[in-house]
Amino acid sequence: MNYEKLSLKEWCDLCHSIAKEKGFWEKDRNIGEALMLIVTELAEAMEGYRKQDHDNFREELADTFIRLFDLCGGLGIDIQSEIVKKSEKNKLRPYKHGKIC
Ligand SMILES: [Mg+2]
């Protein structure tokens, strides 16, 4: 598989199919738990950063995306289109989103 050429949709499909294969979607997913597991990966990245363990930092960031892509794949969310829509919205927001500080 040529990972370099995958679209976000393909990453979502791939991460979701691997997670299903490994048994993580046998029952209905608890979405709150799935979201918190994504946060957990970010916390692990923070630990890697704090310890100056650069390899671990990068790996935990990858875990974050993998869990997020799995969730989007499982919920049928077209995250590419959502990112495009939100980026267009963000472009129209004021400098620092209008916050003074
Ligand atoms: Mg991890």
Side-chain angles (χ1 to χ4, degrees), residues 36-80:
M36 288 305 101
L37 287 170
I38 294 165
V39 172
T40 299
E41 299 300 347
L42 288 171
E44 290 172 358
M46 179 63 205
E47 272 302 290
Y49 180 78
R50 203 173 61 79
K51 292 177 180 168
Q52 293 295 293
D53 182 342
H54 306 292
D55 288 342
N56 182 250
F57 175 65
R58 287 191 290 269
E59 184 175 289
E60 298 307 339
L61 289 178
D63 272 346
T64 305
F65 278 97
I66 289 167
R67 283 194 186 275
L68 191 51
F69 288 154
D70 168 35
L71 184 60
C72 290
L75 297 178
I77 292 171
D78 178 354
I79 199 61
Q80 179 146 350

